[in-house]
Amino acid sequence: MTNDALWYKDAIIYELPVKSFCDGNADGIGDFKGLHEKLDYLQALGVNCLWLLPFFPSPLKDDGYDIAAYTSVHPAYGTLDDFKAFLDAAHARGMRVVIELVLNHTSDQHPWFQRARSAPPGSPERDYYVWSDTDRRFEGVRIIFVDAERSNWTWDPVAQAYYWHRFFHHQPDLNYDNPAVVREMLAVLDFWLDMGVDGLRLDAVPYLVEREHTSCENLPETHALIKAIRRHVDAATPGRMLLAEANQLPADVRAYFGDGDECHMAYHFPVMPRIFMGLHAEDRQPIVDAMEQTPPIPENCQWALFLRNHDELTLEMVTDDERDYMYLAYSLDPQARLNLGIRRRLAPLVGNNRRRIELLNALLFSFPGTPIVYYGDEIGMGDNLYLGDRNGVRTPMQWTGDRNAGFSRADAARLYSPLITDPVYGYPAVNVEAEESDTASLLHWMRNMIRLRRQFKVFGRGTIEFLSPANRKVLAYVRRYRDDIILCVANLSRTVQPAELDLGAFDGMVPVEMLGYTEFPAIGSLPYFLTLGPYGFYWFELQRPGR
Ligand code: GLC
Ligand code: CA
C-alpha cells in the first residue's frame, strides 16, 4: 500500500455488509471467514478499499447500527481474530478497510443504557444519554424515520423519564455533553485504529449534540467535537481517514470538512438524486446545477460519490417538487418508497437497462471524488420490495447459479434473508460465476472501468469545468490535474444525439478515446463535433500532437 496520506483520493471503495457477502461456516449468515475467501474476487474487481457495514454485537433491529458492544464482533460473523485475519489479508492485497463508528446512538441493549435507566437521575451513569421529564424539549426537531417513529422521545418505564433518539426508539442518543461519553468513544476509536483499520465512517454525525430552540443538527458544538476527534486521530494514528455521513444541504455538508481539520471525506448527498433526475429528464441541468452549487473544499479533503447504498435512495434534502418528480420517475410502485426515499437497487431503478447502468457508473467514476460501489451492483443484482425496512437491498450476494446462489451451504430456510429468485434478477440469471465467463457481462465492464479509472489520478484529484453545448441532453466536462486533461462527454437521452463542443482552449490537441485508445481528429478552431449513441459516453485523454 502507498504511504500517501491522501490515499483516499485515489481509492475505489466497495461497500458491503459482512452478513450478506459470503457464509464461511454454513449457518446461513455471511461472516469474516467467507469475506476473507472472497478477497480474490474483490481484488480482481479492482477496488482498493472496503467499507464494512456494522459487524458488532447487536440485536440487529437496525441491521447492526444498533450497537450493544463497540469493541467486539457479532458472534454470527466470527471473532475478533477472524476480523484481524481478514484485515491483514486485505492489507496484504493492497486494500484498505473502513469500518463504522456509530457515535450518535447505541442499542437500548447496550450496558451503558441498561445502567443509565436504573441509575439515579443526575448521576454520571444516567447522564450517558439524553433524558427529559417531558416530551416537549427540543420541539420542532424533524423525525428522520417518518415511517416508523412518531416522536424523537420515548418513555422509559424503568428510568421514569423520556429519552431522546433521532432514529428508531430502540436507539437512544448518547449525551456528548458528558465528557465520560467522549472519552469512551475515543477509546473505541483507538481500539480499532490501533488494530490497523484505515478509516472510520462517522454514522449520522450531524446529530451528536442537542440544544434547545435549534434543529439539533450541525450545531457548532457538534463540529467542535468532530474537530477534537480529528486532532486525536491525527496525533495517535496519522494517515487514517474520517468519512462523514451528513445527509444535509450542500453548505451544511461542506462544514464537515472544516478547514481541512474535521473529516477527510463526506458523502456527496446533494448530487446523487440529481444524477437520477438528469437521467430521467434527459437534461444535464439538474446535474450541472448540483455540481456548480457544490462549494469548494480544502485541498486535503475529498467527496465520497455514490449511486446507491444500503439505505433507501434518500430524498430528504431535495425540494418537494424534486421529490415528487423522483417518486414519479423511479417508484411508480408505492411499495418501493420508504421514509423520504426509494428502496431500490441500481439495476431495477433504471429498468435494468444496461446502457443506463453503464452511463451512471461512467459518471460516478469520472466526477470529482472517490466512487463507492455497493456490493452486488457490479453484477446488476435486483432487490425485494417485500422484505420490510431496507432489507430488500441487503439480500445475499449472488455468486453462482447453484444452491443458495453459492452464498451459503446452509438449508435455504436458515438463510438470514431469502435470495432474489425472480426470473430477471434471480441468482440463476444474475451471478458472479456466469458473468465471469461472459466477457460481455456487466462485471467485466465494471472491472475494465475500474482498472482504467485507477490509471489516472486526475479522476480522484483533478478539477472539473463544465462545457455548455447547445444540446442539453449532452453533459460534457473537462477534468484536469497537473498535465493531464480528460474530456468526458455523456448522452443522457435514449436516442442518438449530436454535440458541438467549444474546445477552443485545446486547439491542436488530439482526443484519444480511453476505452479503445482510439485517436480522434485533432481539435481545431471550429466547434468540435461528436455523435453519441443512446446513453453513450466518451472519455478522451487530450494529448499534445507527437506525444
Ligand atoms: C445511517 C445508516 C442507516 C442507519 C442510521 C441509524 O443513516 O446509514 O442505515 O439506519 O444511520 O443508525
Ligand atoms: Ca456464517
Side-chain angles (χ1 to χ4, degrees), residues 426-499:
Y427 65 90
V430 176
N431 67 71
V432 170
E433 189 180 63
E435 295 197 26
E436 274 180 338
S437 65
D438 170 8
T439 52
S441 66
L442 179 61
L443 178 60
H444 272 267
W445 184 88
M446 288 288 282
R447 282 181 182 170
N448 207 21
M449 289 300 280
I450 290 172
R451 199 163 306 129
L452 184 60
R453 145 120 201 176
R454 279 184 62 176
Q455 283 168 20
F456 293 86
K457 281 204 165 167
V458 53
F459 289 121
R461 301 201 180 212
T463 56
I464 189 166
E465 300 145 59
F466 287 95
L467 304 180
S468 23
N471 183 352
R472 288 203 359 188
K473 296 182 192 298
V474 173
L475 174 67
Y477 44 102
V478 175
R479 305 290 322 272
R480 291 194 213 221
Y481 180 66
R482 298 189 175 151
D483 288 338
D484 286 344
I485 307 176
I486 285 176
L487 167 68
C488 303
V489 191
N491 173 9
L492 300 172
S493 95
R494 66 197 67 205
T495 54
V496 178
Q497 295 295 324

Side-chain angles (χ1 to χ4, degrees), residues 53-319:
L53 295 176
F55 52 79
F56 317 102
S58 161
L60 301 179
K61 287 187 182 170
D62 182 16
D63 214 2
Y65 282 97
D66 47 332
I67 296 177
Y70 278 89
T71 54
S72 43
V73 172
H74 192 296
Y77 309 148
T79 63
L80 211 44
D81 283 338
D82 294 334
F83 174 77
K84 282 187 203 155
F86 148 76
L87 182 64
D88 291 346
H91 284 165
R93 285 170 164 80
M95 283 187 244
R96 315 238 176 197
V97 176
V98 172
I99 69 167
E100 295 272 347
L101 184 69
V102 183
L103 294 164
N104 183 65
H105 46 268
T106 69
S107 161
D108 59 6
Q109 300 308 304
H110 196 291
W112 296 339
F113 189 74
Q114 291 304 323
R115 190 178 68 182
R117 64 201 303 210
S118 40
S123 63
E125 291 78 17
R126 173 73 74 111
D127 264 359
Y128 267 48
Y129 294 85
V130 181
W131 300 96
S132 169
D133 293 334
T134 77
D135 58 1
R136 315 287 307 260
R137 274 177 82 197
F138 311 138
E139 260 184 319
V141 171
R142 76 180 167 119
I143 292 167
I144 296 170
F145 286 163
V146 286
D147 286 354
E149 299 295 338
R150 290 258 146 271
S151 167
N152 289 317
W153 291 107
T154 289
W155 175 254
D156 182 53
V158 178
Q160 290 289 306
Y162 292 93
Y163 61 88
W164 179 250
H165 56 87
R166 290 308 301 276
F167 293 92
F168 289 123
H169 63 276
H170 53 75
Q171 285 166 316
D173 275 34
L174 284 163
N175 172 19
Y176 281 94
D177 287 325
N178 181 349
V181 170
V182 178
R183 277 197 301 274
E184 296 270 17
M185 278 306 176
L186 290 178
V188 168
L189 170 156
D190 286 341
F191 176 85
W192 293 106
L193 293 182
D194 287 345
M195 195 175 294
V197 161
D198 302 282
L200 297 168
R201 172 187 184 268
L202 307 186
D203 178 64
V205 79
Y207 320 113
L208 299 184
V209 181
E210 300 75 28
R211 289 291 177 266
E212 203 57 73
H213 308 304
T214 72
S215 66
C216 294
E217 303 191 4
N218 315 315
L219 299 188
E221 292 86 346
T222 292
H223 285 289
L225 181 63
I226 306 168
K227 284 193 166 76
I229 291 177
R230 170 65 179 270
R231 281 195 301 274
H232 182 89
V233 171
D234 280 354
T237 42
R240 310 304 170 84
M241 185 272 285
L242 300 176
L243 162 59
E245 191 223 10
N247 183 3
Q248 300 286 328
L249 298 172
D252 293 327
V253 183
R254 164 66 185 80
Y256 288 89
F257 294 117
D259 298 317
D261 57 353
E262 222 171 296
C263 291
H264 305 77
M265 296 184 73
Y267 296 98
H268 205 317
F269 278 105
V271 80
M272 182 275 298
R274 271 81 185 200
I275 294 178
F276 287 95
M277 284 178 63
L279 178 70
H280 194 261
E282 305 198 347
D283 183 344
R284 68 169 180 255
Q285 215 51 48
I287 303 174
V288 174
D289 286 348
M291 293 299 286
E292 289 185 342
Q293 284 159 18
T294 302
I297 60 176
E299 257 313 293
N300 58 343
C301 293
Q302 178 81 333
W303 291 109
L305 305 170
F306 62 103
L307 297 168
R308 289 297 300 115
N309 61 20
H310 64 290
D311 288 325
E312 69 274 28
L313 188 169
T314 168
L315 300 173
E316 282 163 278
M317 293 297 149
V318 301
T319 63

